[in-house]
Amino acid sequence: GAGVSQSPSNKVTEKGKDVELRCDPISGHTALYWYRQSLGQGLEFLIYFQGNSAPDKSGLPSDRFSAERTGGSVSTLTIQRTQQEDSAVYLCASSPGPSSPTQYFGPGTRLLVL
Amino acid sequence: GQQLNQSPQSMFIQEGEDVSMNCTSSSIFNTWLWYKQDPGEGPVLLIALYKAGELTSNGRLTAQFGITRKDSFLNISASIPSDVGIYFCAGRSDSGGSNYKLTFGKGTLLTVNP
């Protein structure tokens, strides 16, 4: 079956512009995660969605970052007024549910802020 | 918060050699996962470990869940060029309110010289 998909695969933007990153999880997976991966670093947790529950936003680095998940499926991560330090790979992962530790990752969106 | 130390940071080996990498944690995990990330792609799950002392193989890969539940290692036997990539360990604790979260190591960059 189809895996996690993300779009765009690459995004170049100018400092101060807003960007939207999209994630389509595996069908039927109720848990969805966003991570940020900077060069040479591990994965930094950003936000977690589970079904209709309130999301865990504890990893969002500033109020310029927000995310939503519509209809329990597709998710959008929005970065407002982008800064150069936002340049990174943004990875989305989904999981069958909160009790399942295995997360399945999409290919990521490579964001470059000039 | 929980910390994962993954070592080595990088390895450069000859094709056919065996490889070993490990992760240690400051606290106990109930699940250990090993992922591989190819350039330009998202991490792909290699092996999942659920019980202390568990030894699991996936082809030429073998991983173990340490008895203390604070460490795990991954071995790759008879390396081939396509083993090149970044290997990440990840752990999950079932205690506390955020048991859906994974903590990731910073990765081991493996280069295989044909």
Side-chain angles (χ1 to χ4, degrees):
Chain A
V4 177
S5 61
Q6 291 186 246
S7 62
S9 53
N10 293 282
K11 176 74 176 178
V12 180
T13 190
E14 292 178 347
K15 178 181 169 182
K17 295 278 177 72
D18 297 351
V19 295
E20 279 191 357
L21 313 179
R22 177 186 166 108
C23 172
D24 277 277
I26 293 172
S27 177
H29 281 194
T30 61
L32 187 148
Y33 303 77
W34 282 98
Y35 293 90
R36 180 168 68 176
Q37 184 178 30
S38 302
L39 193 62
Q41 298 297 311
L43 279 65
E44 175 190 3
F45 168 82
L46 297 178
I47 190 168
Y48 163 76
F49 294 93
Q50 168 53 39
N52 295 321
S53 303
D56 176 354
K57 305 179 182 180
S58 61
L60 295 178
S62 77
D63 59 8
R64 295 186 296 104
F65 288 72
S66 63
E68 62 177 25
R69 188 179 185 193
T70 53
S73 181
V74 171
S75 176
T76 302
L77 177 69
T78 301
I79 308 174
Q80 295 178 309
R81 306 180 302 282
T82 51
Q83 303 294 312
Q84 288 181 330
E85 61 263 28
D86 298 334
S87 297
V89 177
Y90 289 84
L91 291 162
C92 173
S94 72
S95 173
S99 61
S100 172
T102 52
Q103 296 179 20
Y104 300 88
F105 285 84
T109 293
R110 279 140 197 85
L111 175 66
L112 178 60
V113 182
L114 300 175
Chain B
Q2 293 168 328
Q3 302 282 331
L4 269 189
N5 290 313
Q6 184 170 351
S7 66
Q9 262 189 314
S10 62
M11 301 183 74
F12 187 93
I13 62 169
Q14 296 294 123
E15 184 176 359
E17 289 183 354
D18 297 344
V19 171
S20 185
M21 59 192 79
N22 70 85
C23 277
T24 57
S25 168
S26 57
S27 53
I28 288 172
F29 285 122
N30 299 98
T31 302
W32 282 95
L33 305 168
W34 285 91
Y35 286 87
K36 182 194 177 199
Q37 186 175 26
D38 290 331
E41 301 291 329
V44 173
L45 181 66
L46 298 174
I47 293 180
L49 302 159
Y50 301 103
K51 209 162 91 170
E54 180 180 354
L55 186 71
T56 297
S57 293
N58 178 5
R60 294 177 296 106
L61 277 61
T62 302
Q64 184 157 30
F65 191 142
I67 291 291
T68 66
R69 296 162 70 192
K70 290 185 177 182
D71 62 337
S72 178
F73 72 76
L74 175 71
N75 283 347
I76 305 173
S77 63
S79 58
I80 59 178
S82 62
D83 290 334
V84 164
I86 304 175
Y87 291 80
F88 291 99
C89 62
R92 190 179 91 159
S93 168
D94 290 344
S95 63
S98 303
N99 59 355
Y100 46 81
K101 282 186 182 176
L102 293 179
T103 301
F104 284 86
K106 291 193 174 180
T108 295
L109 173 61
L110 178 64
T111 304
V112 179
N113 191 29

